[in-house]
Amino acid sequence: MGRWGRGRYSGAMMSLTYVMPAKAGKLVSVPVELSLGARQRLRWMDYYERGHTASQTCRYFGISRKTFYQWKNRYDRWHLESLDSRSRRPRRVRRWAVTLVEESRVVALRKEHLRYGKKKLQVLYRQIYRQEISLWKIHR
């Protein structure tokens, strides 16, 4: 009976080897055009692909797992610009839908009644011109 007693593997020599994941090869050289944020995210992916878990990676770099997984899903190792931040600007921006006639009328009302707010000017506009106008149009 050996030092460890009789168990399932007693008497048999076991050797543990570490096998690197298939994806964890050498990363592509980093182009100079990458932003600082993209370089940081590349460090996250490199650390993760060297065999660390997502939780270990997040703990090491001090990020949330949700953030890590968002960038991991976006990451393409052959196109490192996928780690650059995208614009947060909306694709469709509200356009100013005020006609020149409405604008000139509102400007005239504002000049005539300097101390009135947009709600009172809306009531005046409705009484004088017999048309509805939104508060947003008067505010703008």
Side-chain angles (χ1 to χ4, degrees), residues 53-79:
T53 64
S55 294
Q56 289 171 336
T57 305
C58 295
R59 230 177 291 127
Y60 185 78
F61 289 102
I63 57 173
S64 70
R65 287 196 309 190
K66 182 177 181 181
T67 301
F68 173 76
Y69 280 115
Q70 284 176 340
W71 285 105
K72 181 181 174 288
N73 291 335
R74 194 184 297 186
Y75 174 57
D76 179 9
R77 67 183 300 200
W78 302 111
H79 300 284

Side-chain angles (χ1 to χ4, degrees), residues 41-98:
R41 290 184 278 275
L42 183 61
R43 281 188 218 108
W44 301 348
M45 297 305 139
D46 186 33
Y47 188 83
Y48 175 73
E49 287 186 349
R50 287 179 192 253
H52 296 91
T53 64
S55 294
Q56 289 171 336
T57 305
C58 295
R59 230 177 291 127
Y60 185 78
F61 289 102
I63 57 173
S64 70
R65 287 196 309 190
K66 182 177 181 181
T67 301
F68 173 76
Y69 280 115
Q70 284 176 340
W71 285 105
K72 181 181 174 288
N73 291 335
R74 194 184 297 186
Y75 174 57
D76 179 9
R77 67 183 300 200
W78 302 111
H79 300 284
L80 296 180
E81 55 274 359
S82 65
L83 293 174
D84 276 329
S85 297
R86 295 179 185 162
S87 173
R88 295 180 181 189
R89 182 180 184 267
R91 289 197 178 106
R92 292 191 183 126
V93 182
R94 182 193 275 190
R95 298 185 190 271
W96 197 24
V98 180

Side-chain angles (χ1 to χ4, degrees), residues 98 102 106 118 122 125 132-139:
V98 180
E102 289 173 333
V106 169
K118 58 186 176 183
Q122 182 185 32
Y125 191 94
E132 287 293 323
I133 190 166
S134 67
L135 289 175
W136 182 75
K137 289 182 179 182
I138 294 175
H139 178 75

